[in-house]
């Protein structure tokens, strides 16, 4: 489990390319669409092998099926968290996914699930972490009165939005903003940041030292 004092170095590339992605979502799936578009354009050296939701009514499932992608539902119902996560994990493994991409998946994953896919779960969060973790981060930022908000892509660890940060994009808070306008601009940043950061992760060669994720220095490759 990623924690202070843990070191890790990703191979080059991180997984054989194109990498196989499982995308977990609970709603409209706009970040899933950003990843899918990047896969189709070649900007992201990956292909989506599974779209999985905990909600049958999630609009992202219909969007995935319209693209001809495998889309499945694993609702929790009255079962235990462990039993539900076992079914999620089995689906992901059966699809042969290399990386699990959270795209608006509205359940906190247990330490056991994260350990099952250690350093293979990636999330995008609508704040400049470590500020404003958890739900309604955009509204938290707006109500706190910050002048700069933004988005973060990070590896998922046992905490809530505490894993090593892989990429961030700042979004200025304008004088005419309200929480909804700010959230819409942060979402646009997420759509840019998530595919670009995931592509950098898939390229490999990065390392984790404690909680710090370091990408290789491009100047060393030029030398």
């Amino acid at each position: 489990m990623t924690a202070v004092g843990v070191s890790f170095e990703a191979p080059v590339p991180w997984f054989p390319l194109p990498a196989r992605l499982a995308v977990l979502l609970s709603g409209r799936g706009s970040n899933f669409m950003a990843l899918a578009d990047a896969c189709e354009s070649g900007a992201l050296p990956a292909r989506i092998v599974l779209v999985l939701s905990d909600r049958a009514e999630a609009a992202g499932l219909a969007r995935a099926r319209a693209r001809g992608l495998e889309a499945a539902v694993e609702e929790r119902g009255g079962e235990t968290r462990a039993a539900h996560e076992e079914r999620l994990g089995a689906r992901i493994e059966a699809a042969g996914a290399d990386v699990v991409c959270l795209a608006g998946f509205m359940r906190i994953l247990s330490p056991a699930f994260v350990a099952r896919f250690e350093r293979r779960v990636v999330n995008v969060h609508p704040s400049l972490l470590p500020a404003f973790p958890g739900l309604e981060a955009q509204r938290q930022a707006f109500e706190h009165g910050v002048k700069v908000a933004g988005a973060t892509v990070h590896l998922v660890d046992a905490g809530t939005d505490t894993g090593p940060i892989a990429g961030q994009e700042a979004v200025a808070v304008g004088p005419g903003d309200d929480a909804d306008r700010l959230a819409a601009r942060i979402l646009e940043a997420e759509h840019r940041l998530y595919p670009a950061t995931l592509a950098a992760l898939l390229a490999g060669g990065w390392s984790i030292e404690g909680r710090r994720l370091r990408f290789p220095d491009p100047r060393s490759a030029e030398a």
Side-chain angles (χ1 to χ4, degrees):
M1 195 69 59
T2 303
V4 174
V6 170
S7 296
F8 172 78
E9 186 169 346
V12 181
W14 187 17
F15 291 99
L17 302 180
R20 298 164 61 89
L21 309 181
V23 180
L24 274 59
L25 55 83
S26 296
R28 58 189 171 182
S30 68
N31 271 305
F32 148 68
M33 293 290 284
L35 293 175
D37 287 344
C39 289
E40 288 187 5
S41 72
L44 180 58
R47 63 188 184 95
I48 296 171
V49 297
L50 176 65
V51 177
L52 189 57
S53 180
D54 62 328
R55 297 178 180 175
E57 69 276 13
L61 291 171
R63 288 178 156 185
R65 291 173 182 137
R67 286 176 175 257
L69 298 173
E70 181 181 351
V73 181
E74 291 290 355
E75 293 184 301
R76 178 170 173 178
E79 68 189 329
T80 65
R81 180 188 190 185
H84 181 237
E85 288 189 342
E86 174 59 34
R87 288 194 290 110
L88 292 175
R91 282 271 196 177
I92 293 166
E93 289 174 347
D98 300 312
V99 181
V100 179
C101 298
L102 307 184
F105 188 65
M106 301 307 292
R107 290 187 181 275
I108 296 175
L109 297 169
S110 71
F113 183 93
V114 174
R116 183 172 182 171
F117 301 98
E118 189 170 13
R119 301 188 188 92
R120 295 168 53 198
V121 185
V122 184
N123 184 46
V124 61
H125 182 77
S127 80
L128 293 176
L129 293 172
F132 311 116
L135 296 175
E136 296 191 346
Q138 310 95 316
R139 186 170 297 277
Q140 290 184 59
F142 180 79
E143 292 179 351
H144 199 80
V146 301
K147 304 305 180 187
V148 179
T152 300
V153 173
H154 65 97
L155 298 184
V156 175
D157 67 4
T160 301
D161 301 322
T162 57
I165 292 170
Q168 292 186 308
E169 182 174 333
V171 175
V173 182
D177 274 338
D178 58 21
D180 290 336
R181 281 193 287 269
L182 177 60
R185 291 210 318 285
I186 291 174
L187 186 61
E188 292 174 358
E190 292 176 50
H191 294 167
R192 293 187 294 269
L193 181 67
Y194 205 175
T197 305
L198 184 56
L201 287 168
L202 292 177
W206 45 271
S207 61
I208 297 174
E209 300 170 11
R211 292 193 181 277
R212 185 180 295 275
L213 191 153
R214 299 181 184 273
F215 286 102
D217 187 342
R219 294 172 297 181
S220 63
E222 293 172 2

